[in-house]
Amino acid sequence: ARVVGELHGPFLYPHNDNGENDRMNAHDAVSHPSHYTSSRWPRECIDFSRHMSFLAGNAFKYVWRHADKGTAGGVDLRKAVQYLEWAREDNVGALVEVPTVGLPSAPLVTIREDVADCVVYAMDRSLGVPTRTAYLALVWIVLGRYDDALATIHVALSFLEE
């Protein structure tokens, strides 16, 4: 196993003899669906959302995968908005300390840094301004800044509706 890319976290993934990441190449519809293992991301969404509250994690998931869902991307962004509004209403924090299964525990600051690194990585590989704008919301979500995340997603939705 080796650390993926230049990311800060201690998230290790098994690699096959060719140096390819076995986990990211496995497009199993249950464990590793393709809309979570897209090549634009160096990690899977669950690597972050498992450290989040239910509401923040769902918002994060919908923003993460929206660009891989074709024309339904706007629907996923609207779902993220709904979860963020609930998280804001309930005053729910974003990150929670949870034990990880099969992965080393990561300090919450490392998770924040890795989300930022993943967003930069994905923005270099994303399609257009709406997607890049929406990806910025991932950083706001992990920081618990729901108002900023909502504003960013609304801007992305306005681009999609043009």
Side-chain angles (χ1 to χ4, degrees):
R2 65 178 180 160
V3 176
V4 176
E6 297 293 320
L7 302 176
H8 300 286
F11 297 96
L12 303 175
Y13 296 114
H15 285 71
N16 62 27
D17 293 336
N18 298 327
E20 295 172 331
N21 186 323
D22 291 334
R23 182 174 177 190
M24 295 303 286
N25 291 331
H27 292 292
D28 172 319
V30 174
S31 302
H32 307 287
S34 61
H35 55 270
Y36 291 127
T37 58
S38 129
S39 62
R40 104 182 41 169
W41 297 108
R43 303 262 197 89
E44 283 189 44
C45 182
I46 192 67
D47 295 331
F48 300 111
S49 62
R50 71 187 312 153
H51 297 282
M52 296 179 174
S53 67
F54 175 78
L55 296 172
N58 274 306
F60 189 91
K61 168 187 74 174
Y62 283 120
V63 173
W64 180 282
R65 73 180 191 182
H66 84 278
D68 297 316
K69 300 288 289 260
T71 58
V75 172
D76 274 0
L77 290 178
R78 287 191 285 283
K79 288 178 184 179
V81 165
Q82 181 62 69
Y83 277 99
L84 287 169
E85 288 174 350
W86 286 331
R88 186 178 59 187
E89 288 169 16
D90 294 350
N91 198 28
V92 174
L95 295 176
V96 294
E97 300 265 2
V98 292
T100 57
V101 177
L103 291 174
S105 255
L108 298 183
V109 69
T110 300
I111 293 167
R112 291 182 187 109
E113 291 171 352
D114 282 354
V115 167
D117 285 349
C118 280
V119 167
V120 169
Y121 179 94
M123 288 176 83
D124 286 343
R125 291 153 182 80
S126 69
L127 310 169
V129 174
T131 299
R132 289 180 174 174
T133 303
Y135 287 161
L136 291 175
L138 295 171
V139 175
W140 295 129
I141 293 169
V142 80
L143 291 173
R145 294 180 56 177
Y146 302 140
D147 289 334
D148 293 321
L150 285 164
T152 303
I153 293 169
H154 285 299
V155 169
L157 283 168
S158 71
F159 284 125
L160 288 174
E161 293 165 359
E162 288 182 350

